Amino acid sequence: MGWSSWNSFSNTVASAVVIAQAKAMVSTGMAGAGYRYINIDEGWWLGERDAEGNIVVDPKAWPALAPGEKPGDMANIVRFIHGLDLKAGIYTDAGKDGCGTVGPDLGPGYPNEGAEGHYEQDFLQFALWGFDYVKVDWCGGDKENLDPAVQYAEIARAIARAEAITGHPLYYSICNWGARSPWTWAPGVGGVAADIWRTGGDIVAPIVAGTKNGDRRAELKEVFREFDQGNHPEAQHTGYYNDLDMMVAGMPGLTDAQNRVHMSLWAISGSPLLVGADLTKLSSSALATLTNPAVLAVDQDALGLQAVKVAESGPGLEVWSKPLANSGSRAVLLLNRTQAAATITLRFSDVNLTGNPSVTIKDLWSAKDLGSLRASYSATVLLLVKGKEAATALYEIERITTTSEKKASGSDAAKKTLGSTAQAQSDHTGGANVLKNQPVSFAVRPASRTNFARIRIAYTNPDAAPRFAELRVNGRVATKIAFPPTETAPAEISIQSLLDRLDSKNDLEFSAVGGPGPEIESIAVQ
Ligand code: GLA
């Protein structure tokens, strides 16, 4: 949660702008509501380096802010931001040029605004300046037709090295607009313990008051476009998030109601909440929308899952559900995309709740309790729904492919059956089958009424860093899953997966990637 300079300041970002925004973050109460990051986006640096290749910034744009400081030292603004108990973010590009070269907005178009050729040097510099977060764009990489999966892994290693040298963590924000499906390679790319990746293009071109861009307007249809493009629930879990883009809530163009729709969409997606509006000019209603504690809690829920569409009663009349960490809790969005008022029915079975003994419903925007067992509503509403979880089926490993069997058969067809699908049980119990380094498979028959099943994976990882496994469902493109360290006791992560064979068994195969895999014991499917 934080603020980013791009949407409202474009290339005009400079020390004075950042100071005013950081102060407003505190004085508006946004910091108190949980917003932490002040992210400096493109425009802070004009591509200049000294003879040793060090980044040189304009000392007028980034002056000394306290006695003893040198003008042109980005550590000055970081100290200021940290002094307000906030965190500081910076921006670069994976290629040689940055977006300021390729598609300048208010700037004249500066060459060499990217980090390529200087990865180790630049990311070390960001950490030495004290930045806590780095967004890495893709304009230069795209222009050079680089492979993002390769480039972003290389950068992750430069970040790890900078962190090791300085002892200062640098959060990794990947911005390649969904090109080459980052949800398939970005989670934990290069071994990072946490990251976010953009899933689409820019939600709006910057609207900078008092410039030729001041008349641009944010539009709700663009908000929906980003939301729809960003739905990749299989990749999102435990610290790895689809990033739907910096928000336009509070910017010119959206009504109060549209701001709430926008916030509801980002919250049920568990997307990063990076506000793009000018914080010094927020209306009281936009501020209330951005700081609604119940809605923020949905976004920040510890399970970190992304909502999936569980029902569509007619064109544009949709029910979206995000499972929350508390057992039996869901955030549910009744989304009416049409121009007309309509009643959207929420069936508890669609969100895998039993409705027995009762389900309580709360409207999160009005903070009204709507009582128990109500089934239909006539507006766009974000609900907190609490009931009893529907049954969960426990599965043990169906097949394990050993290296010798692979060699003997020349294919992966030879598989050893360790056991068949277990009967439905309420939780992880029973004997554990263990994945060492061989792929393991589960044959899953979903009980859920919807295509997306929630899958809880019980595993151990004795290392100090995450281990990774790829999950391939029904032979589709695999998704990389990170398994954080567990020490000795088994732990559980939750993911959601599209089990599209509703009437037969779905094949879930986990394979270790990038070293030894986690020891998977069982999966529980709802
Ligand atoms: C790209 C990114 C934006 C912003 C601009 C800066 O378009 O997607 O978020 O960083 O570059 O030029």
Side-chain angles (χ1 to χ4, degrees):
M1 293 170 64
W3 172 85
S4 169
S5 61
W6 183 249
N7 283 355
S8 294
F9 295 94
S10 178
N11 310 67
T12 70
V13 66
S15 185
V17 168
V18 176
I19 288 172
Q21 296 297 314
K23 284 182 172 167
M25 181 77 100
V26 176
S27 63
T28 54
M30 287 184 63
Y35 290 90
R36 275 280 169 281
Y37 286 86
I38 296 288
N39 291 346
I40 301 170
D41 207 282
E42 203 252 302
W44 65 274
W45 172 50
L46 309 182
E48 197 186 332
R49 293 181 187 269
D50 67 15
E52 279 80 50
N54 298 306
I55 290 172
V56 175
V57 299
D58 177 2
K60 288 201 196 68
W62 304 102
L65 300 171
E69 290 183 351
K70 279 195 325 274
D73 182 353
M74 294 302 286
N76 304 342
I77 192 69
V78 174
R79 267 192 295 271
F80 180 86
I81 294 169
H82 285 170
L84 295 176
D85 201 20
L86 299 172
K87 290 182 180 290
I90 192 70
Y91 165 96
T92 188
D93 195 285
K96 288 194 183 62
D97 288 331
C99 290
T101 317
V102 176
D105 188 58
L106 284 173
Y110 307 99
N112 305 317
E113 266 188 337
E116 195 190 351
H118 299 272
Y119 285 169
E120 295 205 347
Q121 186 175 20
D122 286 4
F123 290 92
L124 177 59
Q125 176 69 88
F126 299 150
L128 287 170
W129 278 333
F131 283 103
D132 309 289
Y133 174 110
V134 61
K135 169 174 167 181
V136 185
D137 217 332
W138 189 240
C139 284
D142 193 44
K143 185 174 156 190
E144 295 166 58
N145 202 20
L146 300 178
D147 182 337
V150 172
Q151 238 48 46
Y152 282 104
E154 200 60 36
I155 291 168
R157 287 187 277 274
I159 289 175
R161 180 176 171 273
E163 290 176 333
I165 293 172
T166 62
H168 188 74
L170 205 48
Y171 188 89
Y172 196 15
S173 159
I174 293 170
C175 177
N176 86 322
W177 331 300
R180 300 204 209 165
S181 310
W183 40 93
T184 63
W185 50 261
V189 66
V192 290
D195 63 346
I196 54 176
W197 56 89
R198 281 271 297 275
T199 49
D202 296 1
I203 198 167
V204 73
I207 307 176
V208 188
T211 71
K212 67 178 167 80
N213 295 344
D215 293 335
R216 289 175 179 161
R217 289 293 173 262
E219 288 180 86
L220 188 65
K221 71 175 184 355
E222 299 299 318
V223 172
F224 279 124
R225 185 174 57 84
E226 295 297 328
F227 171 72
D228 291 332
Q229 282 185 3
N231 197 243
H232 304 286
E234 291 178 318
Q236 184 168 311
H237 56 94
T238 55
Y240 302 91
Y241 298 101
N242 293 296
D243 174 2
L244 306 188
D245 197 10
M246 301 162 296
M247 289 191 289
V248 293
M251 290 179 66
L254 295 192
T255 64
D256 290 344
Q258 290 174 334
N259 283 335
R260 283 194 295 277
V261 172
H262 181 4
M263 189 72 184
S264 301
L265 294 171
W266 264 232
I268 58 160
S269 301
S271 175
L273 300 178
L274 292 168
V275 177
D278 179 345
L279 303 183
T280 66
K281 293 187 182 152
L282 285 177
S283 68
S284 56
S285 128
L287 189 58
T289 296
L290 291 169
T291 55
N292 181 305
V295 176
L296 293 177
V298 167
D299 180 78
Q300 299 284 309
D301 180 76
L303 213 46
L305 294 178
Q306 189 170 35
V308 294
K309 187 165 68 181
V310 295
E312 191 163 3
S313 59
L317 303 176
E318 304 169 350
V319 180
W320 290 78
S321 170
K322 172 179 158 113
L324 301 175
N326 279 339
S327 176
S329 291
R330 308 279 184 271
V332 173
L333 182 66
L334 304 184
L335 179 60
N336 177 1
R337 299 194 193 221
T338 74
Q339 301 297 312
T343 298
I344 301 176
T345 302
L346 161 65
R347 288 179 299 192
F348 301 138
S349 54
D350 284 341
V351 295
N352 290 327
L353 296 178
T354 60
N356 181 16
S358 72
V359 170
T360 62
I361 299 178
K362 183 172 184 171
D363 174 346
L364 295 184
W365 285 116
S366 69
K368 275 199 197 116
D369 285 324
L370 301 176
S372 301
L373 293 171
R374 288 276 301 274
S376 73
Y377 303 92
S378 57
T380 297
V381 170
L382 180 60
L383 305 171
L384 181 64
V385 180
K386 288 187 185 169
K388 189 162 170 274
E389 293 285 353
T392 298
L394 181 79
Y395 293 85
E396 293 177 352
I397 292 169
E398 176 90 340
R399 293 188 306 274
I400 182 161
T401 312
T402 67
T403 317
S404 56
E405 282 167 342
K406 254 192 178 168
K407 270 199 201 120
S409 71
S411 78
D412 66 355
K415 299 200 169 166
K416 187 176 158 203
T417 302
L418 290 187
S420 56
T421 306
Q423 295 306 305
Q425 293 182 16
S426 61
D427 211 334
H428 294 306
T429 52
N433 290 313
V434 175
L435 161 66
K436 297 293 183 196
N437 293 330
Q438 294 88 359
V440 293
S441 298
F442 299 85
V444 169
R445 190 186 289 275
S448 160
R449 290 167 53 97
T450 59
N451 284 355
F452 268 95
R454 175 165 161 202
I455 299 174
R456 290 152 56 196
I457 308 166
Y459 74 100
T460 53
N461 166 11
D463 295 350
R467 289 186 175 189
F468 296 94
E470 277 185 346
L471 168 59
R472 191 177 295 279
V473 179
N474 296 336
R476 293 195 304 265
V477 173
T479 299
K480 200 165 97 185
I481 299 173
F483 294 81
T486 58
E487 302 188 342
T488 45
E492 177 182 286
I493 61 167
S494 268
I495 57 158
Q496 295 178 106
S497 196
L498 180 66
L499 303 187
D500 51 351
R501 295 182 193 153
L502 273 183
D503 298 321
S504 64
K505 286 183 174 179
N506 292 265
D507 186 33
L508 276 62
E509 187 179 69
F510 293 86
S511 329
V513 277
E519 299 186 355
I520 295 178
E521 302 199 351
S522 60
I523 61 173
V525 180
Q526 188 181 56

